[in-house]
Amino acid sequence: MKKISLLLITISFLTAAPKTSVIFMIGDGMGPAYTSAYRYYKDDPKTPKVEPTVFDEMLVGMNTTYSENSLITDSAAAATALATGYKTKNGFIGATEKPHSQVKTLLEYAKEQGYITAMAVTSTLTHATPAGFISKEHHRDKEADIAKDFFPATAKEKLKFDFLMGGGEIHFNEAYGDINQTAKKHNVALYRNGYDFDSIHNYPFIAFTAYDYAKFAIDEKDENRDRVSKMTQKALSLVENKPFFMMIEGSQIDWCGHINDIACAMAEMDDFAKAVEKVKNYVDTHPDTLLIVTADHSTGGLAIGDKIGKSDKVSDEIRSRSYIWYKDVIKKVKASSITIAEALRTTKNIDKSFENYTGIDLTDKEYDQLASAMKKKDKKLCNAVNEIINQRSNTGWTTHGHTLVDVETFAYGKSSEKFRGLLDNTDIAKKLFKVLSAGK
Amino acid sequence: MKKISLLLITISFLTAAPKTSVIFMIGDGMGPAYTSAYRYYKDDPKTPKVEPTVFDEMLVGMNTTYSENSLITDSAAAATALATGYKTKNGFIGATEKPHSQVKTLLEYAKEQGYITAMAVTSTLTHATPAGFISKEHHRDKEADIAKDFFPATAKEKLKFDFLMGGGEIHFNEAYGDINQTAKKHNVALYRNGYDFDSIHNYPFIAFTAYDYAKFAIDEKDENRDRVSKMTQKALSLVENKPFFMMIEGSQIDWCGHINDIACAMAEMDDFAKAVEKVKNYVDTHPDTLLIVTADHSTGGLAIGDKIGKSDKVSDEIRSRSYIWYKDVIKKVKASSITIAEALRTTKNIDKSFENYTGIDLTDKEYDQLASAMKKKDKKLCNAVNEIINQRSNTGWTTHGHTLVDVETFAYGKSSEKFRGLLDNTDIAKKLFKVLSAGK
């Protein structure tokens, strides 16, 4: 009998399901209007059908984003919800006020369970979303304090991460004096080669893609526009065939949304979508892998629509035109509104410079808008640039902040069916904890 | 052997699945921001959790709404897509330009298959959405032409509908001279008792709830605010235990959206949600029934969010307040902006009248906004009323038209799993044709 029992245990152990690797991709600020707009932005006008995007193939539901103290969340409370399963107050990172002031994150739990853990973002590594997975702070803006939570006090203690890719080295220097020393103490290699990761073959490491903030995709050189893709590809190549938990963020979708810059937002969406595509392909050949994609909230109150009401007296022709999104206007824009505004301040020929960047031949009224904004501080000019592009393309925004609309849940691969329907953002974390806890 | 074959056929016939009844509910203009906002509008602030709405329990996916000639659809093309499975041009009703100039609708097909067919709407019966299920016209605004398609040329031909509830008798009189005569010829009873349907026990009938447009829910007497509910309850009581196809529309959500009136929109949502709740309960006790709820598009670019950007220099306290939706402002509003504007024009005391309708004690600046708008035509005053309420509640809108954001698909009951994921609006019709064609 004993032998049989032992045999059964052995069989049970041998046949136990393997661990599920999780790739959690967050499009910061990527509410439903962004994924809809992106589909039409990418659509080939030569075909009668609208081509589906990678998101379209993976939609399983939506999730609610409200925080503990506001129906409209900020990125800190949203990151905490997605990373820990706990609602917290706006501004709080990986922590609640009470009763569990510090709460365990998916990344921390995954590391405890023997997973490789990694993050890749286009923000600083200490920005709200990645911070929510690794730090415990009550002030999201104190990025140096947040950086202090990335390394344990002594070299004997285990690191939470295997590798990180993103901007914000500055905050690590603020936190540690000299990050080189701290990294050395913990045997963490540091790389500072932008999005060129060819020299990286082992971990642990941090690849700082920028000393402070990384550039917008639309402001990058052509070969670096797909920067989330590049980080994703490298990350997947490093973890191949080992169980892992990875958080990848398209961080700057949100930032383009905050400044109401549609061309900037579409370029960020494009980068993020290509990265999602890469992961989806990876899941196709790695059955024990789950891909979850969602947003932490929607930004800017983006809406694509005309400005003509049903009771406005306009001709049928104008009305039918009014129901059009002029995405070609957006496709011609070559830089973010911040870069364009900077250029306008240093040029003697506003018309020419604006046309070079946007393909738009300014009307007198538009010229006056820019000239008037130039007399004020930078942000006004940036807003004026966006207003012209938004007006011409029929793109609307309601706010420079966030909104409370539910965001989509996309899931693909193992256990993806568990994320169907309407969830709360904390449910996503709770379900991911379960996924990570299963298997051997 | 012959006997066995006969027996098998008999068994097969006896055990064939019964027909599936379909209740297709359309929230006109009800994009994701509406269902999100409605949840928080209804939330009980005394409980820490946000209570789910009836929509939350039924979310299965989303659907794309673009029309044949525009990324941003109008209600005519959207109704045609949802009713027939064909994309068409904005303005077209139940018809495409070519090659099938007239296309079969779900209601027509259901009638052919022996289902009871019915529609209940808060618009005119000849408005785009109901028209899309019964009429074939290339101009949505020609409601008299649309009305002509409701009755066949001769009394010998079969009616497409068993009963209809909604406004717009005027267009039937325009179409037929005297609708009483036409109805009599086709043995269709006419009722004109508002939302009191107690005297109705048989069909076919048309219950005209209004001679022209029905009032907004928010402008109705308390007992008539739940008018979609009332129509729904009556409709379900009439079809009990027979296979049926029913289209029920919360038509005026869209109209409130067009004028950017959030209090009006939330009152319409409330009426529609209560009707959905009634149908959902019906499905619980009628297993061969499928409930589909969706929108034809989103209206107004509604977004609930603050106006303060991340780079604005404001105190933490103001910023945390800025991420709040002041729904209490909205809950105090007692009438639509159209009704309020009318009242303001006839009062000597703008302050007092505005406060009576909204609970808002006007600031000097707000008073000036209203006074200045009063000098212009009606719509300006209506807009000014909404601007004050939107500003005070942190409610944003981008347009007086429609937007292209995907809308949610809600499904409950038999075959509801077939509507999961991202669909096109035409897919919903195609799947419903299949549902209607199955069973005996």
Side-chain angles (χ1 to χ4, degrees):
Chain A
M1 274 302 275
K2 264 190 184 169
K3 269 185 188 167
I4 290 171
S5 299
L6 199 66
L7 187 70
L8 283 174
I9 290 165
T10 312
I11 288 170
S12 148
F13 182 79
L14 287 173
T15 59
K19 275 189 159 66
T20 303
S21 290
V22 172
I23 302 140
F24 194 3
M25 300 185 77
I26 299 174
D28 200 310
M30 185 185 72
Y34 287 74
T35 48
S36 297
Y38 178 66
R39 179 190 312 116
Y40 302 119
Y41 175 79
K42 290 297 282 183
D43 176 49
D44 179 356
K46 287 183 211 116
T47 62
K49 274 222 163 187
V50 172
E51 285 76 26
T53 66
V54 66
F55 303 107
D56 295 347
E57 296 160 1
M58 302 180 357
L59 180 78
V60 296
M62 300 183 84
N63 65 87
T64 54
T65 65
Y66 62 92
S67 75
E68 193 187 328
N69 66 337
S70 173
L71 296 179
I72 301 155
T73 190
D74 78 337
S75 285
T80 305
L82 291 170
T84 73
Y86 286 92
K87 291 277 186 206
T88 192
K89 292 188 172 175
N90 285 358
F92 281 31
I93 293 283
T96 58
E97 203 160 47
K98 54 182 181 169
H100 318 275
S101 68
Q102 297 196 352
V103 281
K104 188 169 288 183
T105 75
L106 288 163
L107 182 135
E108 291 163 347
Y109 179 74
K111 178 46 72 190
E112 285 174 14
Q113 298 297 309
Y115 288 81
I116 295 169
T117 57
M119 294 200 286
V121 301
T122 47
S123 61
T124 56
L125 283 163
T126 45
H127 207 261
T129 309
F133 284 80
I134 209 163
S135 298
K136 320 279 171 193
E137 297 295 336
H138 281 183
H139 299 282
R140 61 170 290 182
D141 292 332
K142 296 187 176 167
E143 292 195 55
D145 287 351
I146 287 169
K148 280 186 190 152
D149 297 339
F150 276 60
F151 287 92
T154 67
K156 281 181 194 163
E157 290 167 78
K158 213 171 167 183
L159 279 170
K160 291 180 181 177
F161 65 87
D162 287 286
F163 59 91
L164 304 171
M165 305 156 110
E169 178 174 3
I170 183 174
H171 302 299
F172 288 85
N173 282 327
E174 287 162 3
Y176 298 101
D178 177 2
I179 182 61
N180 292 299
Q181 294 303 320
T182 306
K184 200 172 175 187
K185 190 172 92 180
H186 293 277
N187 281 315
V188 172
L190 296 183
Y191 296 91
R192 300 175 179 91
N193 211 11
Y195 300 104
D196 177 355
F197 307 116
D198 284 351
S199 58
I200 306 179
H201 304 288
N202 298 301
Y203 44 86
F205 72 85
I206 301 178
F208 287 118
T209 54
Y211 187 68
D212 193 349
Y213 283 105
K215 279 185 187 172
F216 284 125
I218 200 169
D219 288 333
E220 273 286 2
K221 291 172 287 184
D222 277 358
E223 65 268 28
N224 276 346
R225 283 198 168 190
D226 297 345
R227 58 228 207 288
V228 185
S229 273
K230 285 190 176 187
M231 292 191 287
T232 300
Q233 186 153 334
K234 185 68 195 184
L236 291 175
S237 76
L238 288 168
V239 296
E240 182 77 64
N241 297 324
K242 302 187 196 81
F244 64 90
F245 172 83
M246 199 182 283
M247 194 287 285
I248 298 171
E249 188 192 31
S251 319
Q252 300 195 8
I253 301 165
D254 174 64
W255 302 358
C256 305
H258 276 293
I259 58 173
N260 297 349
D261 185 332
I262 185 66
C264 176
M266 288 299 104
E268 294 298 327
M269 285 295 295
D270 203 36
D271 181 13
F272 188 60
K274 283 173 183 161
V276 173
E277 189 87 50
K278 280 210 160 60
V279 178
K280 186 165 173 278
N281 292 340
Y282 179 92
V283 174
D284 281 333
T285 53
H286 295 77
D288 294 318
T289 312
L290 168 64
L291 165 60
I292 295 289
V293 186
T294 192
D296 50 353
H297 54 73
S298 193
T299 302
L302 171 64
I304 313 296
D306 70 302
K307 299 273 177 194
I308 297 177
K310 66 194 296 187
S311 59
D312 286 321
K313 301 276 176 238
V314 295
S315 70
D316 276 0
E317 197 228 327
I318 288 184
R319 182 173 299 281
S320 80
R321 262 213 324 264
S322 84
Y323 272 97
I324 290 173
W325 187 35
Y326 294 99
K327 62 179 184 173
D328 291 342
V329 171
I330 298 157
K331 291 204 166 190
K332 285 182 190 144
V333 178
K334 290 181 190 141
S336 72
S337 50
I338 293 174
T339 297
I340 297 173
E342 277 167 12
L344 292 179
R345 285 200 182 282
T346 56
T347 182
K348 281 177 186 161
N349 191 335
I350 292 182
D351 279 291
K352 189 75 194 157
S353 176
F354 194 81
E355 190 168 2
N356 282 344
Y357 276 111
T358 65
I360 291 174
D361 182 10
L362 289 168
T363 63
D364 290 348
K365 196 182 151 201
E366 288 167 339
Y367 181 92
D368 291 346
Q369 280 175 253
L370 289 179
S372 148
M374 281 180 84
K375 292 178 195 143
K376 295 166 190 161
K377 57 180 180 164
D378 245 351
K379 228 177 52 183
K380 292 273 178 201
L381 183 55
C382 175
N383 288 346
V385 168
N386 284 321
E387 267 162 33
I388 291 168
I389 295 164
N390 288 326
Q391 192 75 35
R392 286 208 177 214
S393 61
N394 265 350
T395 303
W397 305 84
T398 65
T399 169
H400 287 284
H402 300 164
T403 69
L404 57 58
V405 70
D406 298 342
V407 296
E408 292 138 302
T409 313
F410 307 98
Y412 192 70
K414 195 170 164 185
S415 302
S416 57
E417 74 286 351
K418 292 184 176 143
F419 295 81
R420 279 183 191 147
L422 185 83
L423 301 175
D424 182 53
N425 55 5
T426 56
D427 295 329
I428 293 184
K430 287 173 193 164
K431 285 171 187 285
L432 285 175
F433 274 113
K434 276 196 189 163
V435 168
L436 290 172
S437 71
K440 291 283 171 192
Chain B
M1 274 302 275
K2 264 189 184 168
K3 269 186 188 167
I4 290 172
S5 298
L6 199 66
L7 187 71
L8 283 173
I9 290 165
T10 312
I11 288 170
S12 148
F13 182 79
L14 287 173
T15 58
K19 276 189 159 65
T20 303
S21 290
V22 171
I23 302 139
F24 194 4
M25 301 185 77
I26 299 174
D28 200 309
M30 186 185 71
Y34 287 74
T35 48
S36 297
Y38 178 66
R39 179 190 312 116
Y40 302 120
Y41 175 79
K42 290 296 282 184
D43 176 49
D44 179 356
K46 288 183 211 117
T47 62
K49 275 222 164 188
V50 173
E51 285 76 25
T53 66
V54 66
F55 303 107
D56 295 347
E57 296 160 2
M58 302 181 358
L59 179 78
V60 296
M62 299 183 84
N63 65 87
T64 54
T65 65
Y66 62 92
S67 75
E68 192 187 329
N69 66 337
S70 174
L71 296 179
I72 301 155
T73 191
D74 78 337
S75 285
T80 306
L82 291 170
T84 72
Y86 286 92
K87 291 278 186 204
T88 192
K89 292 188 172 174
N90 284 358
F92 282 31
I93 292 284
T96 58
E97 203 159 47
K98 53 181 182 172
H100 318 276
S101 69
Q102 297 196 353
V103 281
K104 189 169 286 182
T105 75
L106 288 163
L107 182 135
E108 291 162 347
Y109 179 74
K111 178 46 72 190
E112 285 173 15
Q113 298 297 309
Y115 288 81
I116 295 169
T117 57
M119 295 200 286
V121 301
T122 48
S123 61
T124 56
L125 283 163
T126 46
H127 207 261
T129 309
F133 284 80
I134 209 163
S135 299
K136 320 280 171 191
E137 297 295 335
H138 281 184
H139 299 282
R140 62 170 289 183
D141 292 333
K142 296 187 176 167
E143 292 195 55
D145 288 352
I146 288 169
K148 280 185 191 153
D149 297 339
F150 276 60
F151 287 92
T154 67
K156 281 181 194 163
E157 290 167 78
K158 212 171 167 183
L159 278 170
K160 291 180 182 178
F161 65 87
D162 287 286
F163 58 90
L164 304 171
M165 305 156 110
E169 178 175 3
I170 183 173
H171 302 299
F172 288 85
N173 282 327
E174 287 162 3
Y176 299 101
D178 177 3
I179 182 61
N180 292 299
Q181 294 303 320
T182 306
K184 201 173 175 187
K185 189 172 93 179
H186 293 277
N187 281 316
V188 172
L190 296 183
Y191 296 91
R192 300 175 179 91
N193 210 10
Y195 300 104
D196 177 355
F197 307 116
D198 284 351
S199 58
I200 306 179
H201 303 288
N202 298 301
Y203 44 87
F205 71 85
I206 301 178
F208 288 118
T209 54
Y211 187 68
D212 193 350
Y213 283 106
K215 279 185 188 173
F216 284 125
I218 200 169
D219 288 333
E220 273 286 2
K221 291 172 287 184
D222 278 357
E223 65 269 28
N224 275 347
R225 284 199 167 190
D226 298 344
R227 59 228 207 288
V228 186
S229 273
K230 285 190 176 187
M231 292 191 288
T232 300
Q233 186 153 333
K234 186 68 196 183
L236 291 175
S237 76
L238 288 168
V239 296
E240 182 76 64
N241 297 324
K242 302 187 196 81
F244 64 90
F245 172 83
M246 199 182 283
M247 195 286 285
I248 298 171
E249 187 191 32
S251 319
Q252 300 195 8
I253 301 166
D254 174 64
W255 302 358
C256 305
H258 276 293
I259 58 172
N260 297 171
D261 185 332
I262 185 66
C264 176
M266 289 298 104
E268 294 299 326
M269 285 295 295
D270 203 37
D271 181 13
F272 189 60
K274 283 174 183 161
V276 173
E277 189 87 50
K278 280 209 161 59
V279 178
K280 186 165 174 278
N281 291 340
Y282 179 92
V283 173
D284 282 333
T285 53
H286 295 77
D288 293 318
T289 312
L290 168 64
L291 165 60
I292 296 289
V293 186
T294 192
D296 50 353
H297 54 73
S298 193
T299 303
L302 171 65
I304 312 296
D306 70 302
K307 299 273 177 193
I308 298 177
K310 66 194 294 186
S311 59
D312 286 321
K313 302 275 178 240
V314 295
S315 70
D316 276 0
E317 197 229 327
I318 288 184
R319 181 173 299 281
S320 80
R321 263 214 323 264
S322 84
Y323 272 97
I324 290 174
W325 187 35
Y326 294 99
K327 62 178 184 175
D328 291 342
V329 171
I330 298 157
K331 291 204 166 191
K332 285 182 189 143
V333 178
K334 290 181 190 141
S336 72
S337 50
I338 293 174
T339 297
I340 297 173
E342 277 168 13
L344 292 179
R345 284 200 183 281
T346 56
T347 182
K348 281 177 186 161
N349 191 335
I350 292 182
D351 279 290
K352 189 75 194 157
S353 177
F354 194 81
E355 190 168 1
N356 282 344
Y357 275 111
T358 65
I360 291 174
D361 182 10
L362 289 168
T363 63
D364 290 348
K365 197 182 150 202
E366 288 167 338
Y367 181 92
D368 291 346
Q369 280 174 254
L370 289 179
S372 148
M374 281 181 83
K375 291 177 196 145
K376 295 167 191 160
K377 56 181 180 163
D378 245 352
K379 229 177 52 182
K380 292 273 178 200
L381 183 55
C382 175
N383 288 346
V385 168
N386 284 321
E387 267 162 33
I388 291 168
I389 295 164
N390 288 326
Q391 192 74 36
R392 286 208 177 213
S393 61
N394 265 349
T395 303
W397 305 84
T398 65
T399 169
H400 287 284
H402 301 165
T403 69
L404 57 58
V405 70
D406 298 342
V407 296
E408 292 138 303
T409 313
F410 308 98
Y412 192 70
K414 195 170 165 186
S415 303
S416 57
E417 73 287 351
K418 292 185 175 140
F419 295 81
R420 279 182 190 148
L422 185 83
L423 302 175
D424 182 53
N425 54 5
T426 56
D427 295 329
I428 293 184
K430 287 173 193 163
K431 285 172 187 285
L432 285 176
F433 274 113
K434 276 196 189 163
V435 169
L436 290 173
S437 71
K440 292 284 171 190

